[in-house]
PDB file of all heavy atoms in Angstrom:
ATOM      1  N   ARG V   1     -84.293 -59.045  -4.993  1.00 83.00           N
ATOM      2  CA  ARG V   1     -82.841 -58.908  -5.052  1.00 83.00           C
ATOM      3  C   ARG V   1     -82.325 -57.675  -4.301  1.00 83.00           C
ATOM      4  O   ARG V   1     -81.137 -57.596  -3.988  1.00 83.00           O
ATOM      5  CB  ARG V   1     -82.365 -58.877  -6.501  1.00 83.00           C
ATOM      6  CG  ARG V   1     -82.840 -57.698  -7.318  1.00 83.00           C
ATOM      7  CD  ARG V   1     -82.108 -57.628  -8.661  1.00 83.00           C
ATOM      8  NE  ARG V   1     -82.741 -56.678  -9.552  1.00 83.00           N
ATOM      9  CZ  ARG V   1     -83.567 -56.999 -10.544  1.00 83.00           C
ATOM     10  NH1 ARG V   1     -83.839 -58.272 -10.774  1.00 83.00           N
ATOM     11  NH2 ARG V   1     -84.112 -56.076 -11.307  1.00 83.00           N
ATOM     12  N   ASP V   2     -83.224 -56.713  -4.002  1.00 84.00           N
ATOM     13  CA  ASP V   2     -82.808 -55.541  -3.227  1.00 84.00           C
ATOM     14  C   ASP V   2     -82.344 -55.926  -1.825  1.00 84.00           C
ATOM     15  O   ASP V   2     -81.622 -55.169  -1.172  1.00 84.00           O
ATOM     16  CB  ASP V   2     -83.959 -54.539  -3.106  1.00 84.00           C
ATOM     17  CG  ASP V   2     -84.345 -53.918  -4.439  1.00 84.00           C
ATOM     18  OD1 ASP V   2     -83.552 -54.025  -5.390  1.00 84.00           O
ATOM     19  OD2 ASP V   2     -85.439 -53.333  -4.541  1.00 84.00           O
ATOM     20  N   TYR V   3     -82.784 -57.110  -1.352  1.00 84.00           N
ATOM     21  CA  TYR V   3     -82.460 -57.538   0.002  1.00 84.00           C
ATOM     22  C   TYR V   3     -81.442 -58.663   0.050  1.00 84.00           C
ATOM     23  O   TYR V   3     -80.872 -58.925   1.112  1.00 84.00           O
ATOM     24  CB  TYR V   3     -83.730 -57.992   0.721  1.00 84.00           C
ATOM     25  CG  TYR V   3     -84.757 -56.896   0.890  1.00 84.00           C
ATOM     26  CD1 TYR V   3     -86.066 -57.062   0.435  1.00 84.00           C
ATOM     27  CD2 TYR V   3     -84.422 -55.690   1.493  1.00 84.00           C
ATOM     28  CE1 TYR V   3     -87.011 -56.053   0.587  1.00 84.00           C
ATOM     29  CE2 TYR V   3     -85.348 -54.680   1.649  1.00 84.00           C
ATOM     30  CZ  TYR V   3     -86.650 -54.872   1.187  1.00 84.00           C
ATOM     31  OH  TYR V   3     -87.572 -53.870   1.347  1.00 84.00           O
ATOM     32  N   LEU V   4     -81.217 -59.350  -1.089  1.00 77.00           N
ATOM     33  CA  LEU V   4     -80.274 -60.467  -1.088  1.00 77.00           C
ATOM     34  C   LEU V   4     -78.883 -59.972  -0.717  1.00 77.00           C
ATOM     35  O   LEU V   4     -78.346 -59.058  -1.339  1.00 77.00           O
ATOM     36  CB  LEU V   4     -80.246 -61.142  -2.464  1.00 77.00           C
ATOM     37  CG  LEU V   4     -81.493 -61.929  -2.862  1.00 77.00           C
ATOM     38  CD1 LEU V   4     -81.364 -62.429  -4.290  1.00 77.00           C
ATOM     39  CD2 LEU V   4     -81.722 -63.095  -1.912  1.00 77.00           C
ATOM     40  N   GLY V   5     -78.309 -60.579   0.287  1.00 68.00           N
ATOM     41  CA  GLY V   5     -76.977 -60.183   0.728  1.00 68.00           C
ATOM     42  C   GLY V   5     -76.950 -58.906   1.539  1.00 68.00           C
ATOM     43  O   GLY V   5     -75.872 -58.445   1.925  1.00 68.00           O
ATOM     44  N   GLN V   6     -78.126 -58.301   1.811  1.00 75.00           N
ATOM     45  CA  GLN V   6     -78.171 -57.024   2.511  1.00 75.00           C
ATOM     46  C   GLN V   6     -78.834 -57.105   3.885  1.00 75.00           C
ATOM     47  O   GLN V   6     -78.431 -56.402   4.803  1.00 75.00           O
ATOM     48  CB  GLN V   6     -78.933 -55.993   1.657  1.00 75.00           C
ATOM     49  CG  GLN V   6     -78.386 -55.799   0.251  1.00 75.00           C
ATOM     50  CD  GLN V   6     -76.978 -55.282   0.229  1.00 75.00           C
ATOM     51  OE1 GLN V   6     -76.614 -54.410   1.033  1.00 75.00           O
ATOM     52  NE2 GLN V   6     -76.159 -55.794  -0.680  1.00 75.00           N
ATOM     53  N   VAL V   7     -79.867 -57.942   4.006  1.00 82.00           N
ATOM     54  CA  VAL V   7     -80.648 -58.006   5.249  1.00 82.00           C
ATOM     55  C   VAL V   7     -80.771 -59.451   5.707  1.00 82.00           C
ATOM     56  O   VAL V   7     -81.070 -60.336   4.895  1.00 82.00           O
ATOM     57  CB  VAL V   7     -82.064 -57.404   5.052  1.00 82.00           C
ATOM     58  CG1 VAL V   7     -82.838 -57.440   6.371  1.00 82.00           C
ATOM     59  CG2 VAL V   7     -81.981 -55.978   4.519  1.00 82.00           C
ATOM     60  N   ASN V   8     -80.550 -59.699   6.972  1.00 82.00           N
ATOM     61  CA  ASN V   8     -80.782 -61.017   7.566  1.00 82.00           C
ATOM     62  C   ASN V   8     -82.176 -61.020   8.193  1.00 82.00           C
ATOM     63  O   ASN V   8     -82.433 -60.304   9.155  1.00 82.00           O
ATOM     64  CB  ASN V   8     -79.737 -61.316   8.647  1.00 82.00           C
ATOM     65  CG  ASN V   8     -78.364 -61.546   8.063  1.00 82.00           C
ATOM     66  OD1 ASN V   8     -78.229 -62.126   6.988  1.00 82.00           O
ATOM     67  ND2 ASN V   8     -77.346 -61.079   8.757  1.00 82.00           N
ATOM     68  N   PHE V   9     -83.074 -61.824   7.636  1.00 88.00           N
ATOM     69  CA  PHE V   9     -84.451 -61.853   8.107  1.00 88.00           C
ATOM     70  C   PHE V   9     -84.649 -62.953   9.141  1.00 88.00           C
ATOM     71  O   PHE V   9     -84.164 -64.068   8.981  1.00 88.00           O
ATOM     72  CB  PHE V   9     -85.415 -62.068   6.940  1.00 88.00           C
ATOM     73  CG  PHE V   9     -85.468 -60.907   5.984  1.00 88.00           C
ATOM     74  CD1 PHE V   9     -84.834 -60.976   4.751  1.00 88.00           C
ATOM     75  CD2 PHE V   9     -86.128 -59.747   6.333  1.00 88.00           C
ATOM     76  CE1 PHE V   9     -84.875 -59.912   3.878  1.00 88.00           C
ATOM     77  CE2 PHE V   9     -86.175 -58.665   5.469  1.00 88.00           C
ATOM     78  CZ  PHE V   9     -85.541 -58.743   4.233  1.00 88.00           C
ATOM     79  N   GLY V  10     -85.407 -62.612  10.180  1.00 88.00           N
ATOM     80  CA  GLY V  10     -85.781 -63.622  11.151  1.00 88.00           C
ATOM     81  C   GLY V  10     -86.906 -64.502  10.630  1.00 88.00           C
ATOM     82  O   GLY V  10     -86.980 -65.685  10.931  1.00 88.00           O
ATOM     83  N   TYR V  11     -87.791 -63.896   9.818  1.00 92.00           N
ATOM     84  CA  TYR V  11     -88.907 -64.625   9.220  1.00 92.00           C
ATOM     85  C   TYR V  11     -89.049 -64.217   7.760  1.00 92.00           C
ATOM     86  O   TYR V  11     -88.969 -63.025   7.421  1.00 92.00           O
ATOM     87  CB  TYR V  11     -90.230 -64.312   9.944  1.00 92.00           C
ATOM     88  CG  TYR V  11     -90.296 -64.767  11.374  1.00 92.00           C
ATOM     89  CD1 TYR V  11     -89.880 -63.928  12.399  1.00 92.00           C
ATOM     90  CD2 TYR V  11     -90.776 -66.036  11.709  1.00 92.00           C
ATOM     91  CE1 TYR V  11     -89.937 -64.335  13.731  1.00 92.00           C
ATOM     92  CE2 TYR V  11     -90.840 -66.452  13.032  1.00 92.00           C
ATOM     93  CZ  TYR V  11     -90.420 -65.601  14.030  1.00 92.00           C
ATOM     94  OH  TYR V  11     -90.478 -66.008  15.340  1.00 92.00           O
ATOM     95  N   ILE V  12     -89.278 -65.207   6.908  1.00 94.00           N
ATOM     96  CA  ILE V  12     -89.656 -64.961   5.522  1.00 94.00           C
ATOM     97  C   ILE V  12     -91.001 -65.637   5.303  1.00 94.00           C
ATOM     98  O   ILE V  12     -91.129 -66.853   5.468  1.00 94.00           O
ATOM     99  CB  ILE V  12     -88.616 -65.512   4.534  1.00 94.00           C
ATOM    100  CG1 ILE V  12     -87.273 -64.786   4.722  1.00 94.00           C
ATOM    101  CG2 ILE V  12     -89.103 -65.350   3.092  1.00 94.00           C
ATOM    102  CD1 ILE V  12     -86.160 -65.345   3.857  1.00 94.00           C
ATOM    103  N   ILE V  13     -92.007 -64.841   4.957  1.00 96.00           N
ATOM    104  CA  ILE V  13     -93.373 -65.352   4.837  1.00 96.00           C
ATOM    105  C   ILE V  13     -93.847 -65.138   3.406  1.00 96.00           C
ATOM    106  O   ILE V  13     -94.007 -63.994   2.964  1.00 96.00           O
ATOM    107  CB  ILE V  13     -94.322 -64.656   5.826  1.00 96.00           C
ATOM    108  CG1 ILE V  13     -93.802 -64.807   7.267  1.00 96.00           C
ATOM    109  CG2 ILE V  13     -95.731 -65.217   5.701  1.00 96.00           C
ATOM    110  CD1 ILE V  13     -94.606 -64.040   8.301  1.00 96.00           C
ATOM    111  N   THR V  14     -94.044 -66.211   2.673  1.00 96.00           N
ATOM    112  CA  THR V  14     -94.603 -66.103   1.322  1.00 96.00           C
ATOM    113  C   THR V  14     -96.121 -66.061   1.438  1.00 96.00           C
ATOM    114  O   THR V  14     -96.720 -66.817   2.194  1.00 96.00           O
ATOM    115  CB  THR V  14     -94.173 -67.292   0.445  1.00 96.00           C
ATOM    116  OG1 THR V  14     -94.479 -68.523   1.120  1.00 96.00           O
ATOM    117  CG2 THR V  14     -92.681 -67.250   0.158  1.00 96.00           C
ATOM    118  N   VAL V  15     -96.728 -65.155   0.663  1.00 97.00           N
ATOM    119  CA  VAL V  15     -98.176 -64.978   0.748  1.00 97.00           C
ATOM    120  C   VAL V  15     -98.863 -65.307  -0.572  1.00 97.00           C
ATOM    121  O   VAL V  15    -100.037 -64.984  -0.760  1.00 97.00           O
ATOM    122  CB  VAL V  15     -98.546 -63.548   1.208  1.00 97.00           C
ATOM    123  CG1 VAL V  15     -98.146 -63.336   2.662  1.00 97.00           C
ATOM    124  CG2 VAL V  15     -97.904 -62.488   0.313  1.00 97.00           C
ATOM    125  N   CYS V  16     -98.129 -65.934  -1.494  1.00 93.00           N
ATOM    126  CA  CYS V  16     -98.758 -66.443  -2.706  1.00 93.00           C
ATOM    127  C   CYS V  16     -98.043 -67.717  -3.130  1.00 93.00           C
ATOM    128  O   CYS V  16     -96.858 -67.900  -2.837  1.00 93.00           O
ATOM    129  CB  CYS V  16     -98.771 -65.406  -3.825  1.00 93.00           C
ATOM    130  SG  CYS V  16     -97.249 -65.229  -4.767  1.00 93.00           S
ATOM    131  N   ASP V  17     -98.773 -68.599  -3.801  1.00 93.00           N
ATOM    132  CA  ASP V  17     -98.231 -69.903  -4.162  1.00 93.00           C
ATOM    133  C   ASP V  17     -97.101 -69.791  -5.178  1.00 93.00           C
ATOM    134  O   ASP V  17     -96.160 -70.581  -5.159  1.00 93.00           O
ATOM    135  CB  ASP V  17     -99.337 -70.800  -4.709  1.00 93.00           C
ATOM    136  CG  ASP V  17    -100.386 -71.138  -3.654  1.00 93.00           C
ATOM    137  OD1 ASP V  17    -100.057 -71.063  -2.454  1.00 93.00           O
ATOM    138  OD2 ASP V  17    -101.528 -71.459  -4.030  1.00 93.00           O
ATOM    139  N   HIS V  18     -97.186 -68.814  -6.079  1.00 91.00           N
ATOM    140  CA  HIS V  18     -96.138 -68.666  -7.095  1.00 91.00           C
ATOM    141  C   HIS V  18     -94.808 -68.301  -6.453  1.00 91.00           C
ATOM    142  O   HIS V  18     -93.760 -68.837  -6.809  1.00 91.00           O
ATOM    143  CB  HIS V  18     -96.541 -67.606  -8.121  1.00 91.00           C
ATOM    144  CG  HIS V  18     -95.497 -67.370  -9.175  1.00 91.00           C
ATOM    145  ND1 HIS V  18     -94.592 -66.330  -9.110  1.00 91.00           N
ATOM    146  CD2 HIS V  18     -95.197 -68.050 -10.308  1.00 91.00           C
ATOM    147  CE1 HIS V  18     -93.797 -66.376 -10.160  1.00 91.00           C
ATOM    148  NE2 HIS V  18     -94.139 -67.409 -10.905  1.00 91.00           N
ATOM    149  N   ALA V  19     -94.833 -67.386  -5.495  1.00 90.00           N
ATOM    150  CA  ALA V  19     -93.596 -67.011  -4.806  1.00 90.00           C
ATOM    151  C   ALA V  19     -93.035 -68.191  -4.028  1.00 90.00           C
ATOM    152  O   ALA V  19     -91.822 -68.407  -3.988  1.00 90.00           O
ATOM    153  CB  ALA V  19     -93.842 -65.825  -3.878  1.00 90.00           C
ATOM    154  N   GLU V  20     -93.907 -68.967  -3.409  1.00 90.00           N
ATOM    155  CA  GLU V  20     -93.469 -70.136  -2.652  1.00 90.00           C
ATOM    156  C   GLU V  20     -92.758 -71.138  -3.560  1.00 90.00           C
ATOM    157  O   GLU V  20     -91.743 -71.722  -3.190  1.00 90.00           O
ATOM    158  CB  GLU V  20     -94.673 -70.796  -1.980  1.00 90.00           C
ATOM    159  CG  GLU V  20     -94.388 -72.110  -1.284  1.00 90.00           C
ATOM    160  CD  GLU V  20     -93.561 -71.945  -0.023  1.00 90.00           C
ATOM    161  OE1 GLU V  20     -93.402 -70.803   0.462  1.00 90.00           O
ATOM    162  OE2 GLU V  20     -93.076 -72.970   0.497  1.00 90.00           O
ATOM    163  N   ALA V  21     -93.274 -71.322  -4.773  1.00 88.00           N
ATOM    164  CA  ALA V  21     -92.703 -72.306  -5.693  1.00 88.00           C
ATOM    165  C   ALA V  21     -91.480 -71.783  -6.422  1.00 88.00           C
ATOM    166  O   ALA V  21     -90.594 -72.560  -6.796  1.00 88.00           O
ATOM    167  CB  ALA V  21     -93.760 -72.732  -6.712  1.00 88.00           C
ATOM    168  N   SER V  22     -91.393 -70.458  -6.627  1.00 86.00           N
ATOM    169  CA  SER V  22     -90.357 -69.910  -7.498  1.00 86.00           C
ATOM    170  C   SER V  22     -89.182 -69.289  -6.757  1.00 86.00           C
ATOM    171  O   SER V  22     -88.109 -69.122  -7.340  1.00 86.00           O
ATOM    172  CB  SER V  22     -90.974 -68.849  -8.430  1.00 86.00           C
ATOM    173  OG  SER V  22     -92.024 -69.395  -9.189  1.00 86.00           O
ATOM    174  N   CYS V  23     -89.357 -68.921  -5.503  1.00 83.00           N
ATOM    175  CA  CYS V  23     -88.263 -68.304  -4.753  1.00 83.00           C
ATOM    176  C   CYS V  23     -87.169 -69.344  -4.498  1.00 83.00           C
ATOM    177  O   CYS V  23     -87.466 -70.503  -4.214  1.00 83.00           O
ATOM    178  CB  CYS V  23     -88.774 -67.766  -3.430  1.00 83.00           C
ATOM    179  SG  CYS V  23     -87.524 -66.840  -2.497  1.00 83.00           S
ATOM    180  N   PRO V  24     -85.894 -68.966  -4.629  1.00 76.00           N
ATOM    181  CA  PRO V  24     -84.811 -69.920  -4.352  1.00 76.00           C
ATOM    182  C   PRO V  24     -84.957 -70.553  -2.975  1.00 76.00           C
ATOM    183  O   PRO V  24     -85.075 -69.863  -1.974  1.00 76.00           O
ATOM    184  CB  PRO V  24     -83.550 -69.050  -4.430  1.00 76.00           C
ATOM    185  CG  PRO V  24     -83.931 -67.912  -5.306  1.00 76.00           C
ATOM    186  CD  PRO V  24     -85.383 -67.648  -5.029  1.00 76.00           C
ATOM    187  N   ALA V  25     -84.950 -71.877  -2.945  1.00 74.00           N
ATOM    188  CA  ALA V  25     -85.162 -72.580  -1.677  1.00 74.00           C
ATOM    189  C   ALA V  25     -84.108 -72.227  -0.644  1.00 74.00           C
ATOM    190  O   ALA V  25     -84.388 -72.164   0.544  1.00 74.00           O
ATOM    191  CB  ALA V  25     -85.187 -74.090  -1.921  1.00 74.00           C
ATOM    192  N   VAL V  26     -82.880 -71.982  -1.101  1.00 68.00           N
ATOM    193  CA  VAL V  26     -81.810 -71.665  -0.149  1.00 68.00           C
ATOM    194  C   VAL V  26     -82.094 -70.349   0.561  1.00 68.00           C
ATOM    195  O   VAL V  26     -81.755 -70.176   1.730  1.00 68.00           O
ATOM    196  CB  VAL V  26     -80.440 -71.637  -0.860  1.00 68.00           C
ATOM    197  CG1 VAL V  26     -80.349 -70.473  -1.827  1.00 68.00           C
ATOM    198  CG2 VAL V  26     -79.307 -71.562   0.158  1.00 68.00           C
ATOM    199  N   PHE V  27     -82.755 -69.412  -0.125  1.00 74.00           N
ATOM    200  CA  PHE V  27     -83.106 -68.149   0.514  1.00 74.00           C
ATOM    201  C   PHE V  27     -84.210 -68.372   1.544  1.00 74.00           C
ATOM    202  O   PHE V  27     -84.159 -67.832   2.652  1.00 74.00           O
ATOM    203  CB  PHE V  27     -83.542 -67.126  -0.535  1.00 74.00           C
ATOM    204  CG  PHE V  27     -83.931 -65.795   0.043  1.00 74.00           C
ATOM    205  CD1 PHE V  27     -82.978 -64.962   0.608  1.00 74.00           C
ATOM    206  CD2 PHE V  27     -85.252 -65.379   0.047  1.00 74.00           C
ATOM    207  CE1 PHE V  27     -83.326 -63.733   1.161  1.00 74.00           C
ATOM    208  CE2 PHE V  27     -85.621 -64.157   0.585  1.00 74.00           C
ATOM    209  CZ  PHE V  27     -84.651 -63.332   1.140  1.00 74.00           C
ATOM    210  N   LEU V  28     -85.209 -69.174   1.179  1.00 78.00           N
ATOM    211  CA  LEU V  28     -86.286 -69.456   2.123  1.00 78.00           C
ATOM    212  C   LEU V  28     -85.768 -70.185   3.351  1.00 78.00           C
ATOM    213  O   LEU V  28     -86.234 -69.957   4.467  1.00 78.00           O
ATOM    214  CB  LEU V  28     -87.377 -70.281   1.437  1.00 78.00           C
ATOM    215  CG  LEU V  28     -88.120 -69.611   0.279  1.00 78.00           C
ATOM    216  CD1 LEU V  28     -89.158 -70.558  -0.302  1.00 78.00           C
ATOM    217  CD2 LEU V  28     -88.783 -68.311   0.728  1.00 78.00           C
ATOM    218  N   ARG V  29     -84.772 -71.054   3.164  1.00 74.00           N
ATOM    219  CA  ARG V  29     -84.226 -71.812   4.296  1.00 74.00           C
ATOM    220  C   ARG V  29     -83.336 -70.967   5.184  1.00 74.00           C
ATOM    221  O   ARG V  29     -82.945 -71.398   6.265  1.00 74.00           O
ATOM    222  CB  ARG V  29     -83.425 -73.018   3.786  1.00 74.00           C
ATOM    223  CG  ARG V  29     -84.262 -74.120   3.152  1.00 74.00           C
ATOM    224  CD  ARG V  29     -83.445 -75.401   3.046  1.00 74.00           C
ATOM    225  NE  ARG V  29     -82.255 -75.231   2.243  1.00 74.00           N
ATOM    226  CZ  ARG V  29     -82.187 -75.496   0.940  1.00 74.00           C
ATOM    227  NH1 ARG V  29     -83.249 -75.938   0.296  1.00 74.00           N
ATOM    228  NH2 ARG V  29     -81.048 -75.325   0.274  1.00 74.00           N
ATOM    229  N   SER V  30     -83.005 -69.748   4.727  1.00 69.00           N
ATOM    230  CA  SER V  30     -82.083 -68.913   5.502  1.00 69.00           C
ATOM    231  C   SER V  30     -82.727 -68.331   6.753  1.00 69.00           C
ATOM    232  O   SER V  30     -82.037 -67.757   7.584  1.00 69.00           O
ATOM    233  CB  SER V  30     -81.551 -67.773   4.629  1.00 69.00           C
ATOM    234  OG  SER V  30     -82.580 -66.847   4.308  1.00 69.00           O
ATOM    235  N   SER V  31     -84.044 -68.453   6.886  1.00 76.00           N
ATOM    236  CA  SER V  31     -84.767 -67.885   8.020  1.00 76.00           C
ATOM    237  C   SER V  31     -85.902 -68.818   8.413  1.00 76.00           C
ATOM    238  O   SER V  31     -86.100 -69.866   7.800  1.00 76.00           O
ATOM    239  CB  SER V  31     -85.336 -66.508   7.633  1.00 76.00           C
ATOM    240  OG  SER V  31     -84.337 -65.644   7.138  1.00 76.00           O
TER     241      SER V  31
END
């Protein structure tokens, strides 16, 4: 949440399965 609404990422790379499944899909689709 420190980055939500603050930084536009060119790439978002999840490095664990839990983060991949639990992170809001709309955030992952933003980059």
Side-chain angles (χ1 to χ4, degrees):
R1 64 170 168 259
D2 294 344
Y3 297 125
L4 290 175
Q6 305 298 320
V7 182
N8 290 324
F9 292 104
Y11 295 90
I12 297 176
I13 304 175
T14 52
V15 291
C16 81
D17 295 337
H18 178 262
E20 174 70 13
S22 303
C23 186
V26 68
F27 180 69
L28 296 179
R29 290 196 300 266
S30 68
S31 306

